[in-house]
Amino acid sequence: MQALRLQALAASLILATGIVAACPRSRAERSEFQRLHPCPANGLQRGPCPGYVVDHIVALCAGGPDLPQNMQWQRVDEAKIKDREEKRACHAERH
């Protein structure tokens, strides 16, 4: 499932047009995501989630919305890899 999401992300980054600069993230949207999808590590609907981060499925820099529907829990180690790849892809699209 994760591999499929990464493939979809890669495809969306390749096809993305009109990439915008860094978008501000909404605390309210993130809070709503966590309310709807409690932390996989501790089951809490708010507060810290040890070992996990909230990830945007389609990166904000690739035009993904800052909405709960575009968010997922991701392990920190996976997030570091994905973030690095997204940063490279978004930078390449801008130049």
Side-chain angles (χ1 to χ4, degrees), residues 3 6 10 19 25 27 29 33-34 40 43 53 62 65 73 79 81 93:
L6 287 174
I19 293 176
R25 297 178 183 184
R27 282 188 190 166
E29 296 295 346
F33 167 78
Q34 192 167 356
V53 295
W73 287 111
I81 294 166
E93 285 291 325

Side-chain angles (χ1 to χ4, degrees), residues 1 7 28 30 41 44 80 87:
M1 184 71 160
Q7 288 174 346
R30 186 197 182 286
L44 296 178
K80 287 179 182 179
K87 186 176 180 180

Side-chain angles (χ1 to χ4, degrees), residues 75-87:
R75 288 192 343 239
V76 171
D77 58 327
E78 293 173 343
K80 287 179 182 179
I81 294 166
K82 183 174 178 249
D83 288 348
R84 197 174 317 127
E85 292 173 5
E86 288 173 344
K87 186 176 180 180

Side-chain angles (χ1 to χ4, degrees), residues 1-89:
M1 184 71 160
Q2 188 67 13
L4 184 59
R5 285 185 176 158
L6 287 174
Q7 288 174 346
L9 171 69
S12 68
L13 288 174
I14 291 168
L15 298 174
T17 58
I19 293 176
V20 296
C23 301
R25 297 178 183 184
S26 169
R27 282 188 190 166
E29 296 295 346
R30 186 197 182 286
S31 295
E32 178 66 6
F33 167 78
Q34 192 167 356
R35 187 184 69 73
L36 295 169
H37 306 280
C39 169
N42 57 25
L44 296 178
Q45 291 182 312
R46 59 185 213 184
C49 186
Y52 288 85
V53 295
V54 175
D55 171 66
H56 289 86
I57 297 166
V58 176
L60 297 177
C61 67
D66 190 24
L67 297 172
Q69 300 89 324
N70 188 40
M71 296 178 187
Q72 65 182 349
W73 287 111
Q74 190 172 49
R75 288 192 343 239
V76 171
D77 58 327
E78 293 173 343
K80 287 179 182 179
I81 294 166
K82 183 174 178 249
D83 288 348
R84 197 174 317 127
E85 292 173 5
E86 288 173 344
K87 186 176 180 180
R88 257 188 240 129

